[in-house]
Amino acid sequence: MSAVVLKQQVRQAFDGAARSYDAATPVQRAVGQALLAALQAQRPGWQPQRLLDAGCGTGQGAQLLQAAYPATQLLRLDFAPAMLACAAPGAPLCADLEALPLAPACIDLYWSSMAVQWCDLGRVLQEAARVLAPGGTLALSTLGPATFAALDRAFAQADTHPHRLGFTAPEALAAALAAAGLRLVWQARAQHSAWYADLASLLRAIKTAGAHTVPGRRSGLLGRRAWQRVQADYERLRQPQGLPAHYDVLGVIACRARA
């Protein structure tokens, strides 16, 4: 599958998920709140004049950012038009994180929470560095390699197709920041979990959130016996709260050097 075709499929998936996204993504909200707390701890009292929410989705992050930085000029950017149509603070811009239609050095705070895993990370960070003003700050969260690892192991009982993206390792994220000319000032790794009554509900929530586009994934349904093997394997993870979906979340804050 070409990168262009995959990107089109991802866009279509998130367009289709716009109405259901907020209800299906409790982890995304918690990750955004944690990233904002880290940013405010690193830059206490700072009020950026120009802020970009890159990969804004339905605007969960934009709402947090507007409350934290009420005087900022907030631009929320996403490549899924239906996401941008959701009511949220800031001026909407439909565009690709890998090719921002913005002038160099025009943004004080580049914010991106749980979006860049769908992109070429190197290109995204090069563009972030280009649009950041000297002394500007990047605050970013993305998914690490342990995300949905148990789900992948369960499906390995039934087939050899991939069932999740190849998420970014912490050292790869740090290297990409350095290659883009951004200085890392804070990083963290945390596990966040969501809980479901059964495996079907878990998979439905992932699809409802638009996060089901995986290169090379199975195109048809599993047979009954194969599905039962997958269910039986995943049931071993059951806790009183239900069956878990574990998110391995990487957070970073970086700065562009002053001129």
Side-chain angles (χ1 to χ4, degrees):
M1 182 185 299
S2 73
V4 173
V5 171
L6 177 60
K7 188 167 291 190
Q8 290 173 344
Q9 290 184 355
V10 172
R11 180 183 289 113
Q12 290 170 357
F14 281 102
D15 266 334
R19 291 185 179 181
S20 57
Y21 186 84
D22 286 350
T25 53
V27 167
Q28 281 80 344
R29 287 193 294 274
V31 170
Q33 291 166 348
L35 183 62
L36 178 59
L39 174 61
Q40 291 179 315
Q42 290 295 316
R43 300 209 61 174
W46 182 50
Q47 288 290 321
Q49 294 182 352
R50 301 155 298 179
L51 191 164
L52 173 66
D53 183 358
C56 64
T58 59
Q60 292 179 9
Q63 293 171 5
L64 288 174
L65 293 164
Q66 185 69 69
Y69 305 116
T72 194
Q73 298 176 16
L74 195 160
L75 180 64
R76 53 186 178 93
L77 181 149
D78 204 280
F79 74 164
M83 289 288 189
L84 288 172
C86 298
L93 174 62
C94 190
D96 190 335
L97 273 67
E98 297 176 19
L100 299 175
L102 300 173
C106 67
I107 297 296
D108 299 309
L109 171 59
Y110 180 106
W111 166 280
S112 185
S113 186
M114 303 284 273
V116 302
Q117 60 267 18
W118 305 106
C119 306
D120 182 303
L121 181 62
R123 292 179 183 175
V124 169
L125 294 179
Q126 290 288 343
E127 278 293 272
R130 182 182 67 82
V131 302
L132 273 174
T137 296
L138 173 142
L140 181 147
S141 66
T142 188
L143 294 176
T147 300
F148 301 154
L151 191 62
D152 214 32
R153 288 193 295 269
F155 272 100
Q157 306 298 316
D159 66 23
T160 58
H161 293 272
H163 292 273
R164 59 176 181 148
L165 294 174
F167 297 113
T168 303
E171 55 271 21
L173 177 55
L177 287 166
L182 296 169
R183 180 175 61 86
L184 182 63
V185 297
W186 174 88
Q187 61 181 337
R189 185 176 189 177
Q191 178 176 283
H192 293 255
S193 300
W195 301 90
Y196 301 92
D198 50 45
L199 183 57
S201 299
L202 186 159
L203 296 174
R204 192 179 309 117
I206 292 174
K207 185 174 182 179
T208 298
H212 58 283
T213 304
V214 178
R217 65 173 298 181
R218 171 185 285 275
S219 57
L221 298 175
L222 287 174
R224 181 179 178 182
R225 289 185 179 179
W227 172 243
Q228 288 173 340
R229 289 199 300 272
V230 174
Q231 285 182 303
D233 186 85
Y234 211 80
E235 273 294 324
R236 294 184 295 177
L237 301 177
R238 183 173 290 279
Q239 299 292 322
Q241 308 96 306
L243 288 178
H246 294 310
Y247 295 76
D248 178 21
V249 178
L250 310 180
V252 295
I253 295 173
C255 292
R256 180 183 169 185
R258 296 186 181 276

